[in-house]
């Protein structure tokens, strides 16, 4: 086969272009830290990268959902803790009022305190997280109790449905409690009756009458407090499960990031070694090309 000078020149230039392209690719990997920078570099790696990013985005969304669940649960637990302490204080006042050493004025003062505690319990029942009412079931845009101008309490918007949030593929966890067990109408009605009794609305006079009339609310208060304890225990079990799910999501995020890194990130030591080799090849190609190219008259003109 006849090899002409023109063929030598063209082959040498093609090889130089290829060397330059390989060197450019290595320099791009070195500057970006990625194996590929466009899908055409390696379609398989690019498609796996899309899958890993999609999985990572889903895990991060589940983590945000878990953060919402945690906010609801923590706020619910704190509110029920305060409610339990409030009911305990009311019970103490009822026990004191059953003692005949307290007169009508003393009981009226106790009634005022119970009234304030009842108002505080109403505020707890209308607690919000991110502008959502957490103790009104699925109706998170309206409070469980409305208070009119005269101070009357209504619960026309009350809702006891469970609020379930997806925290993993096909896994839902209830973020709220059953409000009927914690802040029921029956509990507030009992407190209203306690206030009326302490203020003497229908409190019988005399030692026996006063003791029976006030102390009869102790069992009701104990029942309401027990319902609160039971609901808080159920919430605590779900909070423990939420901790396990959070740990699993955290581990899943680490694993997915590792897989994505192994798929896309360049081995920097290997890239540097390849770049040095390509630089050596490029310099050798330039040296060889200087011998292949024939001098022309232009090389001797100044």
């Amino acid at each position: 086969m006849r090899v002409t000078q023109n063929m030598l020149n063209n082959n040498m230039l093609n090889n130089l272009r290829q060397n330059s392209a390989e060197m450019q690719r290595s320099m791009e990997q070195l500057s970006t830290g990625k194996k590929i920078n466009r899908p055409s570099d390696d379609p398989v790696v690019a498609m796996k990268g899309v899958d890993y990013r999609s999985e990572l985005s889903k895990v991060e969304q589940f983590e945000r959902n878990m953060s919402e669940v945690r906010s609801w649960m923590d706020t619910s637990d704190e509110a029920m803790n305060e409610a339990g302490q409030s009911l305990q204080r009311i019970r103490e006042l009822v026990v004191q009022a059953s003692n005949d050493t307290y007169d009508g004025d003393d009981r009226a003062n106790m009634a005022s305190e119970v009234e304030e505690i009842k108002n505080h319990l109403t505020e707890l029942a209308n607690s919000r997280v991110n502008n959502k009412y957490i103790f009104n079931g699925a109706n998170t845009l309206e409070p469980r109790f409305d208070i009119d101008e005269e101070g009357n309490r209504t619960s026309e918007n009350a809702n006891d449905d469970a609020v379930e949030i997806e925290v993993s593929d096909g896994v839902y966890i209830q973020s709220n409690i059953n409000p009927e067990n914690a802040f029921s109408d029956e509990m507030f009605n009992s407190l209203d009756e306690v206030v009326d009794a302490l203020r003497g609305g229908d409190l019988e006079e005399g030692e026996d009458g006063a003791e029976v009339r006030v102390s009869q609310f102790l069992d009701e208060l104990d029942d309401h407090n027990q319902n609160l304890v039971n609901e808080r225990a159920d919430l605590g079990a779900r909070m423990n499960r939420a901790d396990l799910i959070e740990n699993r999501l955290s581990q899943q995020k680490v694993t997915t990031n590792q897989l994505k890194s192994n798929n896309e990130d360049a081995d920097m030591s290997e890239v540097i070694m390849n770049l040095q080799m390509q630089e050596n090849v490029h310099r050798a190609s330039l040296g060889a090309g200087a011998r292949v190219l024939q001098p022309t008259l232009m090389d001797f003109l100044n």
Side-chain angles (χ1 to χ4, degrees), residues 57-255:
S57 176
K58 187 164 58 175
V59 171
E60 290 173 347
Q61 180 59 55
F62 288 145
E63 285 186 329
R64 288 190 289 270
N65 291 353
M66 277 303 308
S67 177
E68 181 78 5
V69 170
R70 178 61 68 182
S71 297
W72 279 54
M73 288 184 171
D74 289 344
T75 304
S76 298
D77 186 62
E78 292 172 2
M80 286 193 293
N81 180 50
E82 289 187 37
Q85 294 176 356
S86 299
L87 288 177
Q88 182 60 36
R89 175 55 183 166
I90 292 176
R91 191 184 192 284
E92 293 173 359
L93 292 173
V94 169
V95 172
Q96 291 180 13
S98 301
N99 190 331
D100 284 333
T101 58
Y102 293 93
D103 56 20
D105 291 337
D106 294 329
R107 292 193 178 96
N109 293 332
M110 294 178 187
S112 298
E113 183 175 353
V114 173
E115 183 72 29
E116 291 302 320
I117 294 175
K118 184 189 69 174
N119 293 336
H120 178 62
L121 288 171
T122 304
E123 294 174 357
L124 291 176
N126 290 336
S127 298
R128 290 189 293 178
V129 171
N130 295 329
N131 293 323
K132 295 180 181 179
Y133 293 96
I134 63 175
F135 294 126
N136 200 28
N139 186 11
T140 60
L141 300 181
E142 296 178 302
R144 185 168 186 84
F145 297 105
D146 290 317
I147 307 297
D148 59 22
E149 296 179 355
E150 298 178 356
N152 298 320
R153 181 186 66 258
T154 60
S155 57
E156 297 178 356
N157 302 320
N159 186 290
D160 298 326
D161 294 338
V163 176
E164 295 187 339
I165 298 178
E166 188 176 13
V167 294
S168 187
D169 285 325
V171 177
Y172 293 82
I173 187 170
Q174 182 179 340
S175 60
N176 67 333
I177 66 167
N178 185 346
E180 183 62 23
N181 294 334
F183 302 100
S184 63
D185 281 323
E186 290 76 9
M187 181 185 75
F188 285 99
N189 291 336
S190 296
L191 298 183
D192 289 337
E193 293 176 358
V194 169
V195 173
D196 291 339
L198 289 174
R199 285 176 176 168
D202 59 348
L203 184 63
E204 298 180 6
E205 297 293 339
E207 180 178 353
D208 295 336
E211 183 176 354
V212 172
R213 186 65 189 92
V214 178
S215 62
Q216 69 179 2
F217 296 108
L218 291 177
D219 290 340
E220 295 182 22
L221 292 174
D222 290 340
D223 289 340
H224 296 314
N225 193 38
Q226 187 60 48
N227 290 337
L228 196 64
V229 171
N230 293 340
E231 195 63 31
R232 196 177 179 193
D234 179 72
L235 177 63
R238 282 185 279 121
M239 291 177 73
N240 291 336
R241 183 188 176 195
D243 290 337
L244 297 176
I245 294 175
E246 280 184 321
N247 292 336
R248 186 178 64 185
L249 287 175
S250 178
Q251 184 59 45
Q252 188 175 354
K253 184 177 181 180
V254 171
T255 302

